[in-house]
C-alpha cells in the first residue's frame, strides 16, 4: 500500500499523544487536573482507529485467507514478543504467577478484553477491537455505499448504532457477559463507511463534517461538566457511555481536519520515517517504562530526567522488538507468497 504523507503525519501525532497521555497519568499525583488532559489526549487513539478505517475504505481484499494471516501476524507477533520478554524478565525476578502469564498471553494475541488479569498489558485492549474490525472487513467491503441515497445511507448507520447499543446493553444485563463497546467500534466503522462513500478531499463530505464539528464543539463542554463536576446528577455509567460517543465523534472530526490541514506537507523526513516504522512497537512497549509499576519516571531524583530515560528505553526497546518481529514474520511471509 502506497504511503500517504498526511496519514504518516497524523500517525506521528497520535503516537506522541498516547505516550504523553501515559506520562501524565503516571505523574497525575502531582496535579489532579492531569486526568482531564489525559482524557482528551486519548483522541490520539481514536484517530489511530480512523487511520486504519480510512486506509481500508477504498481497498479491495481478494484473498481472504492470506490477508487474514498477514494482518494477524503483523499485529500479534510484535505484541507476543513484548509479552514473552516481559514474562521472562519477571520470571527471573520471581514476581510472576500463572494468572499473570495467562492474562499476558491472552492480551498479546488480541483477547485482552476477555482476560481476567491483563497485568502489564491493559493498553492492548485496542487489539481486540482492531482484530474484530479486520475479521469483518472482507464481508463489509461488499456493501455498496456510493450508490444508495444519502437518506438511506445515514438512516442505516444511525439505526445500526442505536440498535447495536441497545442490544449490547440488553445482552450484557441478561447474560452477564461483557461485549465489545458499540461506541468504540464506531471509531472504526464510522470512518470506514463515510470514506467509502465520500472522497476525503471532496466537497460532498463537507456538510457532514461541518455538522460533526458543531456537535463536537457543543458536546465536549457538556460532557466535561458531566464528567468532571457534580453539577448534574447523572449516573456515572451513563456519563461514561456519552463520553465514549463524544470522544468517537470528536476524534473522527479531528482526524478529518488534520488530514486536510496537512496537505502542505510534501516530503518525508527522518522523524516521519521513524514514526511509520516504529509507532506500533512504541505503543506496545512504552507503558512498560512509563505507565506501570515498572515505570522509570520516578526512579531518578529529577522527574524530567526520569521521563527522558523512559522515552529512551521505549525507543531502544521498540527497535529491538521491530527487529525480532521482522525475523519472526519471515516464515509467514513465505507462506503467503506461495
Amino acid at each position: 500500500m502506497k504511503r500517504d504523507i498526511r496519514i504518516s503525519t497524523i500517525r506521528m501525532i497520535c503516537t506522541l499523544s498516547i505516550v504523553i497521555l501515559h506520562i501524565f497519568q503516571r505523574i497525575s499525583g502531582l496535579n489532579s487536573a492531569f486526568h482531564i488532559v489525559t482524557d482528551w489526549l486519548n483522541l490520539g487513539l481514536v484517530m489511530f482507529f480512523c487511520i486504519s478505517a480510512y486506509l481500508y475504505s477504498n481497498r479491495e481484499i481478494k484473498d481472504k485467507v492470506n490477508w487474514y494471516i498477514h494482518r494477524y501476524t503483523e499485529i500479534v507477533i510484535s505484541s507476543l514478543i513484548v509479552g514473552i520478554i516481559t514474562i521472562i524478565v519477571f520470571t527471573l525476578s520471581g514476581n510472576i504467577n500463572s494468572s499473570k502469564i495467562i492474562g499476558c498471553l491472552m492480551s498479546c494475541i488480541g483477547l485482552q478484553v476477555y482476560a481476567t488479569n491483563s497485568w502489564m498489558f491493559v493498553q492492548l485492549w485496542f487489539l481486540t477491537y482492531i482484530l474484530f474490525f479486520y475479521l469483518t472487513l472482507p464481508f463489509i467491503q461488499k456493501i455498496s455505499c456510493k450508490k444508495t441515497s444519502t437518506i438511506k445511507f445515514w438512516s442505516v448507520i444511525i439505526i445500526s448504532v442505536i440498535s447495536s447499543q441497545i442490544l449490547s446493553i440488553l445482552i450484557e444485563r441478561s447474560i452477564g457477559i461483557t461485549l465489545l463497546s458499540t461506541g468504540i467500534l464506531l471509531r472504526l466503522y464510522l470512518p470506514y463507511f463515510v470514506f467509502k462513500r465520500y472522497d476525503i478531499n471532496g466537497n460532498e463530505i463537507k456538510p457532514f463534517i461541518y455538522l460533526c464539528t458543531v456537535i463536537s464543539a457543543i458536546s465536549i463542554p457538556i460532557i466535561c461538566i458531566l464528567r468532571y463536576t457534580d453539577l448534574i446528577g447523572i449516573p456515572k455509567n451513563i456519563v461514561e457511555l456519552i463520553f465514549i460517543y463524544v470522544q468517537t465523534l470528536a476524534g473522527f472530526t479531528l482526524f478529518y481536519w488534520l488530514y486536510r490541514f496537512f496537505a502542505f506537507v510534501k516530503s518525508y523526513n527522518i522523524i516521519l520515517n521513524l514514526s511509520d516504522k516504529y509507532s506500533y512497537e512504541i505503543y506496545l512497549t512504552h507503558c512498560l517504562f512509563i505507565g506501570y509499576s515498572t515505570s522509570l519516571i520516578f526512579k531518578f531524583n529529577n522527574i524530567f530526567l526520569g521521563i527522558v530515560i523512559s522515552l529512551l528505553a521505549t525507543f531502544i526497546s521498540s527497535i529491538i522488538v521491530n527487529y525480532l518481529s521482522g525475523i519472526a514474520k519471515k516464515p509467514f511471509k513465505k507462506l503467503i507468497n506461495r
Side-chain angles (χ1 to χ4, degrees), residues 143-159:
I143 299 174
S144 178
C145 295
K146 293 182 178 180
K147 295 180 181 180
T148 187
S149 67
T150 301
I151 294 176
K152 183 178 179 181
F153 175 77
W154 287 111
S155 296
V156 170
I157 288 181
I158 293 171
I159 293 172

Side-chain angles (χ1 to χ4, degrees), residues 7 60 95 120 141 190 207 247 279 281 291 294 306 315-316 332:
I7 290 295
E60 183 182 2
N95 187 20
M120 309 281 288
Q141 70 177 358
L190 177 64
Q247 268 199 335
S279 61
E281 286 80 9
T294 52
F315 187 62
I316 292 173
F332 296 98

Side-chain angles (χ1 to χ4, degrees), residues 58-70:
N58 290 296
R59 183 182 177 189
E60 183 182 2
I61 300 167
K62 296 180 179 179
D63 190 335
K64 295 182 181 67
V65 175
N66 280 343
W67 184 80
Y68 279 137
I69 294 172
H70 172 69

Side-chain angles (χ1 to χ4, degrees), residues 69-194:
I69 294 172
H70 172 69
R71 291 315 306 157
Y72 189 72
T73 54
E74 282 291 311
I75 289 176
V76 170
I77 285 178
S78 296
S79 62
L80 271 175
I81 288 173
V82 174
I84 291 170
I85 292 175
T86 304
I87 289 172
I88 293 172
V89 170
F90 274 83
T91 299
L92 293 175
S93 67
N95 187 20
I96 199 169
N97 54 46
S98 59
S99 175
K100 291 179 179 179
I101 293 174
I102 294 172
C104 167
L105 295 177
M106 285 186 67
S107 299
C108 291
I109 63 173
L111 297 175
Q112 186 279 333
V113 173
Y114 304 105
T116 55
N117 180 9
S118 299
W119 188 34
M120 309 281 288
F121 297 90
V122 176
Q123 81 278 12
L124 296 189
W125 63 267
F126 91 100
L127 285 183
T128 308
Y129 285 86
I130 198 71
L131 288 172
F132 179 84
F133 175 66
Y134 286 158
L135 186 66
T136 63
L137 263 182
F139 305 98
I140 64 174
Q141 70 177 358
K142 299 176 182 179
I143 299 174
S144 178
C145 295
K146 293 182 178 180
K147 295 180 181 180
T148 187
S149 67
T150 301
I151 294 176
K152 183 178 179 181
F153 175 77
W154 287 111
S155 296
V156 170
I157 288 181
I158 293 171
I159 293 172
S160 297
V161 172
I162 294 174
S163 58
S164 296
Q165 182 61 66
I166 293 174
L167 184 61
S168 65
I169 291 174
L170 293 175
I171 292 175
E172 286 181 342
R173 289 184 177 180
S174 60
I175 302 178
I177 62 172
T178 301
L179 301 177
L180 297 183
S181 166
T182 301
I184 294 177
L185 285 173
L186 193 62
R187 298 172 184 180
L188 290 158
Y189 290 103
L190 177 64
Y192 176 79
F193 286 115
V194 167

